Amino acid sequence: EPLQIIACAGSGKTQVISQRIASILSLPGVKPRTIVAFTFTEKAAAELQDRIYSILRQEGVDRPWLAAMSVGTMHG
């Protein structure tokens, strides 16, 4: 189901979203191309993607097809 999170700066949005996406991607049968995550800046989008990959690596999930996941800016 779609999820929208709106919160102020420094409230932990990136951590919450990266954990949630990593958890979803860890499930069998989930395709990264079904994941779309938007944020306001390129820096924030890169940080979000890095955190997702880092969490998955720590959990031993190695999925080379993660590039199909869409993480970007609302402006792009």
Side-chain angles (χ1 to χ4, degrees):
E1 287 189 30
L3 171 68
Q4 179 179 18
I5 297 177
I6 300 173
C8 64
S11 62
K13 294 180 299 294
T14 302
Q15 184 61 32
V16 169
I17 294 169
S18 57
Q19 282 289 151
R20 171 102 180 205
I21 291 172
S23 294
I24 291 168
L25 288 169
S26 296
L27 298 172
V30 174
K31 297 176 180 149
R33 68 174 185 212
T34 64
I35 304 292
V36 178
F38 293 116
T39 188
F40 285 101
T41 67
E42 290 292 334
K43 181 180 177 185
E47 174 69 19
L48 178 59
Q49 191 167 19
D50 288 346
R51 286 194 195 190
I52 293 166
Y53 291 163
S54 176
I55 292 166
L56 290 171
R57 275 192 305 273
Q58 288 175 359
E59 294 177 358
V61 177
D62 182 28
R63 296 189 176 180
W65 37 269
L66 284 174
M69 178 178 57
S70 180
V71 178
T73 68
M74 297 170 66
H75 312 290

